[in-house]
Amino acid sequence: MPETMSAWEQEGYGPASGVRRVRRPIPEPGGGEVLLRVRATGLNAGDVRIMLGDPLLVRPVFGVRRPRNPVRGMDVAGTVVALGPDVDSVSVGDEVVAELPGGGGLAEYAVAPAGRLVLRPAAVSARDAACLPIAAGTARQALDAAAITGDGRVLVIAASGGVGTFAVQLAAADGLEVHATCSARNAAAVRDLGASSVIDRERPLRDLPAGGYDAVIDIAGTAALRDLQRLVVDGGRVVMVSGQGGRMLGPIPRMLRAALLSIGSRRRIRPLAAVAKPQMLRMLLGLAEAGRIRPLIEAVHPFDEAGAALARVQGGHVVGKVVVEQS
């Protein structure tokens, strides 16, 4: 194994144009960690948030003046090439998938906690597997939080992005009637994923019938909270996957307003803080292996173009996922 590797780094918080390809030492796995040879990295909006240090509220967690880990990319599929002390759950040579805490995936090698690794089924490509941890995991947790019982109807707002495309598929796999909002140009793709009704995102939510849904999964995070609340039946839930906000506190004020609106109401608004769940990732990989879900991939960039891939995600309006793949 060489002593150095190629990686895409940022020196400080800022846009993708400031990310540069450098040579750096290959990291050594510590106790409970493994070293991965990265095969594919799925990019998410969260990678861009950390890259920009936006909102400022996140900086004490990821680094006050610059990211503690200068390499972006949290979702990876790779090969185990070395084990740290006290690791016996995987072996060298295993093909695995993981969500890396904080990043590190846009490099030839990355260190990962062994407890987060899930074996990749041979029938699921590294490219597809790298799309699952955050996007599909968040979608699954959002649907679980919605707590829809029986045959219900769910509205997925902003259904053409990474989380949205999986939310539509997983809800359909659950046997739910799925309505979805997206742009007109993406309507056919979203319908193909399992939505029975596709609503133009330009249509005001207040035009939709009150109490028309058992749950609403709000991924856009821009709609008025009362407009969202009126869409669900008594006992229904609005699950907020993300939210817009100011430079300092981000979505926190919106989350607090949601909590206030939920007091004493049978139409609750619940913010979601998705977390890494290896057991859930294992289940999602099983669904992908069975052909029940699949990532909608807008673009696959070679490792040489990782900076351009980050810029694409930063620009917004990605349909499905963007993946960086290594040979």
Side-chain angles (χ1 to χ4, degrees), residues 97-98 116 118 132-133 277-286:
V97 190
R116 289 199 175 191
V118 177
L132 295 178
K277 294 186 176 183
Q279 190 62 34
M280 180 175 287
L281 176 57
R282 186 173 294 108
M283 178 271 294
L284 293 167
L285 285 163

Side-chain angles (χ1 to χ4, degrees), residues 32-33 51 55 74 76 78-79 81-82 101 120 133 139-140 149 164 168 173 179 183 197 202 287 290 300 302 315 317:
E33 296 179 332
M51 180 179 72
M74 291 182 281
V76 299
T79 308
V81 294
R120 173 170 64 86
R140 183 66 266 170
T149 58
V168 169
H179 293 197
S183 66
S197 175
E202 300 299 327
L287 291 176
V300 178
H317 308 298

Side-chain angles (χ1 to χ4, degrees), residues 256-318:
L256 292 175
R257 291 196 299 273
L260 289 174
L261 282 175
S262 296
I263 295 175
S265 173
R266 288 181 48 77
R267 302 178 179 186
R268 302 193 62 184
I269 308 176
R270 177 176 175 178
L272 175 71
V275 296
K277 294 186 176 183
Q279 190 62 34
M280 180 175 287
L281 176 57
R282 186 173 294 108
M283 178 271 294
L284 293 167
L285 285 163
L287 291 176
E289 182 181 26
R292 298 186 66 189
I293 62 171
R294 59 179 174 85
L296 181 62
I297 300 177
E298 177 180 282
V300 178
H301 290 258
F303 186 68
D304 291 349
E305 299 175 4
L310 274 171
R312 181 190 288 266
V313 178
Q314 183 187 341
H317 308 298
V318 169

Side-chain angles (χ1 to χ4, degrees), residues 5-25 27 41 43 46-53 61-74 100-111 303 306-307 310:
M5 66 177 183
S6 183
W8 288 83
E9 289 190 357
Q10 58 180 135
E11 292 185 358
Y13 289 115
S17 58
V19 177
R20 297 286 183 266
R21 189 173 182 176
V22 301
R23 298 295 302 183
R24 64 179 301 184
T41 304
L43 297 179
D47 296 308
V48 172
R49 289 290 191 187
I50 297 174
M51 180 179 72
L52 297 173
V61 177
F62 295 105
V64 175
R65 296 186 177 182
R66 62 182 65 85
R68 293 189 182 93
N69 187 336
V71 181
R72 304 278 56 79
M74 291 182 281
L100 307 178
L106 291 181
E108 292 179 302
Y109 296 87
V111 166
F303 186 68
L310 274 171

Side-chain angles (χ1 to χ4, degrees), residues 32-34 83-91 94 114:
E33 296 179 332
V34 307
L83 307 178
D86 304 319
V87 174
D88 56 13
S89 56
V90 293
S91 303
D94 284 347

Side-chain angles (χ1 to χ4, degrees), residues 36-298:
L36 302 179
R37 174 70 168 91
V38 179
R39 303 299 181 189
T41 304
L43 297 179
N44 298 278
D47 296 308
V48 172
R49 289 290 191 187
I50 297 174
M51 180 179 72
L52 297 173
D54 179 30
L56 296 177
L57 182 69
V58 307
R59 296 194 181 189
V61 177
F62 295 105
V64 175
R65 296 186 177 182
R66 62 182 65 85
R68 293 189 182 93
N69 187 336
V71 181
R72 304 278 56 79
M74 291 182 281
D75 285 356
V76 299
T79 308
V80 177
V81 294
L83 307 178
D86 304 319
V87 174
D88 56 13
S89 56
V90 293
S91 303
V92 171
D94 284 347
E95 297 293 332
V96 296
V97 190
E99 178 186 336
L100 307 178
L106 291 181
E108 292 179 302
Y109 296 87
V111 166
R116 289 199 175 191
L117 300 180
V118 177
L119 293 175
R120 173 170 64 86
V124 182
S125 69
R127 176 189 298 184
D128 286 356
C131 296
L132 295 178
I134 290 177
T138 299
R140 183 66 266 170
Q141 291 176 57
L143 288 166
D144 290 347
I148 305 173
T149 58
D151 297 331
R153 178 186 293 172
V154 61
L155 175 65
V156 179
I157 298 177
S160 61
V163 176
T165 52
F166 282 118
V168 169
Q169 294 180 78
L170 289 167
D174 288 347
L176 303 176
E177 180 183 340
V178 186
H179 293 197
T181 75
C182 65
S183 66
R185 70 184 180 94
N186 298 327
V190 170
R191 190 173 286 109
D192 186 56
L193 294 174
S196 60
S197 175
V198 178
I199 302 161
D200 193 300
R201 70 179 184 187
E202 300 299 327
R203 182 179 178 183
L205 292 181
R206 65 180 67 93
D207 289 350
L208 300 179
Y213 299 97
D214 297 283
V216 173
I217 309 299
D218 178 30
I219 302 166
T222 57
L225 294 175
R226 290 190 183 277
D227 287 345
L228 294 171
Q229 195 174 37
R230 65 174 287 277
L231 291 176
V232 296
V233 298
D234 282 350
R237 292 186 181 182
V238 176
V239 180
M240 297 167 49
V241 173
S242 66
Q244 302 299 315
R247 175 69 169 148
M248 179 63 70
L249 298 178
I252 298 299
R254 190 168 189 263
M255 293 165 63
L256 292 175
R257 291 196 299 273
L260 289 174
L261 282 175
S262 296
I263 295 175
S265 173
R266 288 181 48 77
R267 302 178 179 186
R268 302 193 62 184
I269 308 176
R270 177 176 175 178
L272 175 71
V275 296
K277 294 186 176 183
Q279 190 62 34
M280 180 175 287
L281 176 57
R282 186 173 294 108
M283 178 271 294
L284 293 167
L285 285 163
L287 291 176
E289 182 181 26
R292 298 186 66 189
I293 62 171
R294 59 179 174 85
L296 181 62
I297 300 177
E298 177 180 282

